[in-house]
Amino acid sequence: MHLLNLGILAHVDAGKTSLTERLLHSVGVTDRLGSVDSGDTRTDTLALERQRGITIKSAVVSFPVDDVTVNLIDTPGHPDFIAEVERVLGVLDGAVLVVSAVEGVQAQSRVLLRTLRRLRIPTLLFVNKIDRRGAREDDVLRAVARRLTPAVVPMGRTRHLGTPRARFVPGLAPTAAEVLADHDDDLLTAYVEDRLHPARVRAALADQTRRALVHPVYFGSAITGAGVDALIGGIRDLLPAADGDPDAPVSATVFKVDRGEAGEKVAYARVFSGTLRIRDRLPYGELRTEGRITALGVFDHGTDVRTDAVPAGRIARLWGLAGIRIGDTLGVPRPAPGHVFAPPTLESVVVAAPGTDRGALHLALTRLAEQDPLIGLRHDEARGQTSVSLYGEVQKEVVQATLADEFGLDVAFRETTPLCVERPTGTGAAVEYKKKDGNPFLATVGLRVDPAPAGTGIVLRREVELGSMPYAFFKAIEDAVREALGQGPHGWQVTDCTVTLTHCGYAPRQSHAHQGFDKSMSSTGADFRGLTPLVLMTALRRAGTLVHEPLHRFTAEAPADTLGALLPVLAALHAVPRTTRTRGAVCVLEGEVPAARVHALEQRLPGLTRGEGELDSAFERYAPVRSGPVPERPRTDHNPLDRKEYLLNLTRRVGG
């Protein structure tokens, strides 16, 4: 028996969770179908998910298909919860992307398949809701080929489309050989010479699907079960099995962290090699902290069961690692794939209601951030405020409801604002020498800041010899630089720059005669951590920084006769159309819009287009703020821009 870790992905309301329920019912794991409307599905277990009818957290459930054990991972469809999807992608062997036969290809469909193809994850497409009025077959196939990928192979045809009697009749489309021949010269030759055997086509289909070159397309209905058996056959026959040597050194990646009934951390991890066992002591995380596994669980036949060992290929639940975080690797480190989706571009301040325990709020927000590492927290102790980075308004509503339902905390949010960044516009340098010009630290630090191309991030370099002082002091400077760049002259994170250490110096370890180490005569790491932000901010001010706001690229499709009403609204929202084209009676606008205005555009578009408009948007780039005053962000550090205030704050902290 082999294993398959399968993700179910879709745009919101495509019927993804309903399909999961149908799959579990069809293979005999459940006796009755769960319903999203009734709130009794197997994978949407959170009360908030059942109230709202949307998936918020990924969930795992296992079922057998002949000799294949499938670990099915149901993921959120709403774009505000894309971080939850991102974590799952790294542990998948294959995926099913669900598209609605009524609504067709949506913006989220494009984002998801584009990412699946980039990561080369074998993917089947399931066009759901063929029993609904307005369901389409040929139109959806054309939209898939045009908007998603032309490398699709229809696996059959529908009958009685758009009625409760709708069904799916399996059978390879005549065009299958043409699509497959694009990636197989021998197949192309056989096709041209008219000597192509059906078995050769089926073998090529399985091979190219497993290599993520083509995508079989099934039609059906999660509600009636039409086409689901054919899809199950495709999952069994066309997607690759999980691999991994159970006897190799352990390497596993954590993609989800929950809290148990007693508040303990429960980590979900894909085991890529080796075998996890109870009482194993394994290093994990960036710091390679060693922890001991106290309990293990696996998913089997629709439930999770405790076990003593989990071999390569499986998904494990594990207890005992108190410091575990999402993205951590257990055992042998694996290359980090990096973010496959854009980071959050919005933030909002959490406002506690009168009487709310601020300590409890801080703890609750920290726990939410543990479960969602792309959602950052920013604490402002001076103002008693916490900001949360977000993908959108729905996510903000869910965080608010979660704090109320799970933690009993009444909070509100201020207006959502864009998360900007700062980029240096020129070169700036500064240096401070120990015991000179009012430098209170026993350290010499010189830094130069240079601009770097967009997307570079932060690059640290040295123009001093590594042996010129203890390595711990170099490390203290580098850590302080990275931390200080979190808040530039305008309060935003500074990025796309090169910071070069040009000067360094320290006071060697000294002591009075017949006495121990004297800190007042010898440099410590604290001296370099304290001085570096002052030097860096001086260099940054001399270099100059420009605040950039996040922009989304957008594609708006609307009836051509509504263009006159749409364009003034786009202008008012500071959206800039770059191209305009027509496709029959439909006008297609492509351009850029500030991230902070996307939600307003989504709300306005239906009313301007008689409900026929479609909007596809995704983060594109950061660009200089075009209008209005330069946005400033309140500082949460000791303010190294003001030397006197900084030294006073630092003294208070050390003294306290």
Side-chain angles (χ1 to χ4, degrees):
M1 176 174 284
H2 69 252
L3 295 163
L4 168 65
N5 296 299
L6 177 74
I8 303 287
L9 298 89
H11 64 81
V12 67
D13 291 334
K16 171 180 49 57
T17 300
S18 296
L19 177 59
T20 300
E21 291 296 316
R22 173 59 68 176
L23 289 170
L24 295 176
H25 182 67
S26 295
V27 299
V29 169
T30 58
D31 295 329
R32 58 180 295 275
L33 283 172
S35 167
V36 174
D37 293 336
S38 302
D40 58 355
T41 60
R42 290 292 298 269
T43 53
D44 285 348
T45 56
L46 298 178
L48 194 57
E49 291 177 315
R50 293 177 170 176
Q51 291 167 13
R52 290 177 171 254
I54 61 173
T55 301
I56 297 171
K57 296 291 183 183
S58 60
V60 184
V61 64
S62 178
F63 61 86
V65 180
D66 296 335
D67 63 340
V68 180
T69 295
V70 178
N71 286 324
L72 187 150
I73 308 176
D74 186 18
T75 63
H78 198 285
D80 280 13
F81 306 104
I82 199 70
E84 194 74 21
V85 179
E86 171 167 295
R87 296 193 288 273
V88 169
L89 292 178
V91 304
L92 297 182
D93 303 304
V96 173
L97 178 64
V98 185
V99 176
S100 168
V102 179
E103 291 86 8
V105 175
Q106 300 291 298
Q108 187 75 346
S109 313
R110 299 176 68 180
V111 171
L112 291 171
L113 189 61
R114 186 165 56 237
T115 305
L116 289 165
R117 286 176 62 82
R118 178 154 56 91
L119 296 175
R120 304 195 67 77
I121 296 174
T123 303
L124 311 180
L125 272 64
F126 184 75
V127 182
N128 192 25
K129 302 184 182 180
I130 64 171
D131 59 319
R132 300 283 185 87
R133 180 179 299 178
R136 299 161 293 150
E137 181 177 358
D138 293 338
D139 286 350
V140 171
L141 280 174
R142 282 193 292 268
V144 167
R146 176 172 52 85
R147 301 182 66 186
L148 296 182
T149 172
V152 293
V153 178
M155 300 299 290
R157 299 290 296 182
T158 64
R159 297 287 186 271
H160 309 297
L161 188 66
T163 72
R165 295 186 299 124
R167 60 192 180 95
F168 178 69
V169 181
L172 269 180
T175 57
E178 298 177 22
V179 175
L180 296 168
D182 286 342
H183 308 284
D184 188 328
D185 290 341
D186 292 339
L187 191 70
L188 177 60
T189 301
Y191 175 71
V192 171
E193 296 176 355
D194 197 24
R195 54 180 179 83
L196 200 56
H197 193 275
R200 175 74 174 86
V201 176
R202 288 193 295 272
L205 174 65
D207 174 65
Q208 294 188 27
T209 300
R210 289 170 184 150
R211 291 192 289 144
L213 297 175
V214 300
H215 306 286
V217 182
Y218 298 84
F219 282 76
S221 168
I223 299 300
T224 68
V228 172
D229 286 342
L231 175 65
I232 291 173
I235 292 170
R236 177 194 61 212
D237 299 333
L238 300 178
L239 294 179
D243 58 5
D245 181 357
D247 297 320
V250 170
S251 182
T253 298
V254 175
F255 66 93
K256 177 177 178 177
V257 173
D258 267 348
R259 291 275 177 174
E261 295 181 359
E264 78 281 11
K265 280 188 178 180
V266 183
Y268 292 62
R270 161 74 186 267
V271 185
F272 286 96
S273 66
T275 300
L276 288 177
R277 293 182 173 85
I278 294 178
R279 292 182 292 279
D280 276 355
R281 299 192 68 88
L282 294 170
Y284 64 89
E286 292 183 5
L287 301 178
R288 309 309 293 158
T289 304
E290 190 173 274
R292 179 174 173 270
I293 297 174
T294 58
L296 284 168
V298 293
F299 298 91
D300 189 43
H301 286 73
T303 186
D304 55 303
V305 295
R306 294 297 180 98
T307 184
D308 293 331
V310 182
R314 302 209 70 159
I315 290 176
R317 297 178 77 208
L318 50 95
W319 286 258
L321 307 180
I324 198 76
R325 294 178 58 85
I326 291 169
D328 283 352
T329 297
L330 287 160
V332 179
R334 292 176 55 81
H339 294 319
V340 296
F341 299 112
T345 56
L346 303 170
E347 74 172 351
S348 182
V349 174
V350 183
V351 180
T356 300
D357 186 334
R358 293 187 180 276
L361 176 58
H362 182 277
L363 178 61
L365 288 171
T366 301
R367 286 197 173 183
L368 291 182
E370 281 179 358
Q371 299 170 18
D372 205 338
L374 289 186
I375 305 307
L377 299 180
R378 185 172 185 267
H379 301 291
D380 186 341
E381 295 181 5
R383 296 171 180 80
Q385 296 177 350
T386 299
S387 299
V388 181
S389 56
L390 301 162
Y391 279 96
E393 296 298 317
V394 172
Q395 185 186 19
K396 183 167 73 173
E397 295 170 7
V398 167
V399 171
Q400 182 179 18
T402 301
L403 289 172
D405 295 347
E406 295 187 16
F407 299 95
L409 299 171
D410 184 12
V411 303
F413 283 87
R414 292 184 184 166
E415 181 183 2
T416 303
T417 57
L419 266 172
C420 299
V421 299
E422 294 183 53
R423 287 175 173 153
T425 56
T427 295
V431 61
E432 292 210 21
Y433 298 94
K434 65 178 185 292
K435 298 183 179 180
K436 289 186 179 181
D437 301 321
N439 176 6
F441 302 100
L442 286 177
T444 295
V445 174
L447 298 170
R448 185 179 67 248
V449 177
D450 296 291
T456 301
I458 299 168
V459 178
L460 303 182
R461 293 179 177 168
R462 302 189 192 102
E463 289 182 353
V464 297
E465 293 292 335
L466 187 59
S468 58
M469 66 179 185
Y471 176 76
F473 295 159
F474 285 111
K475 184 68 165 58
I477 293 172
E478 292 176 358
D479 290 346
V481 165
R482 292 190 182 279
E483 182 177 354
L485 288 177
Q487 301 181 67
H490 297 282
W492 304 102
Q493 180 180 1
V494 181
T495 188
D496 299 332
C497 62
T498 300
V499 180
T500 305
L501 180 63
T502 58
H503 298 76
C504 68
Y506 74 108
R509 184 181 181 91
Q510 298 180 51
S511 61
H512 296 286
H514 309 297
Q515 295 182 17
F517 169 64
D518 187 345
K519 180 181 178 300
S520 67
M521 301 170 60
S522 312
S523 297
T524 66
D527 288 305
F528 290 92
R529 289 190 293 271
L531 179 60
T532 297
L534 285 174
V535 177
L536 181 61
M537 286 302 125
T538 301
L540 272 175
R541 282 196 290 197
R542 291 171 179 171
T545 62
L546 191 60
V547 176
H548 291 60
E549 64 179 340
L551 295 183
H552 281 221
R553 66 176 181 276
F554 75 87
T555 300
E557 298 187 8
D561 61 351
T562 65
L563 191 60
L566 182 57
L567 286 175
V569 173
L570 290 175
L573 295 175
H574 303 293
V576 180
R578 302 295 186 190
T579 62
T580 305
R581 65 181 189 275
T582 57
R583 191 175 64 246
V586 175
C587 181
V588 182
L589 296 174
E590 295 181 343
E592 293 181 331
V593 59
R597 310 282 183 165
V598 170
H599 183 62
L601 182 56
E602 291 171 340
Q603 291 180 314
R604 298 288 300 276
L605 189 65
L608 297 168
T609 61
R610 302 188 296 272
E612 299 178 41
E614 292 185 12
L615 181 68
D616 174 1
S617 72
F619 172 79
E620 176 70 10
R621 64 190 179 98
Y622 286 94
V625 175
R626 293 191 296 242
S627 59
V630 175
E632 301 281 341
R633 195 185 196 195
R635 304 192 71 87
T636 60
D637 59 8
H638 294 303
N639 192 17
L641 294 172
D642 185 321
R643 186 183 187 89
K644 183 177 180 180
E645 178 186 349
Y646 175 79
L647 293 175
L648 183 61
N649 286 333
L650 205 61
T651 302
R652 285 173 177 167
R653 186 187 70 175
V654 174

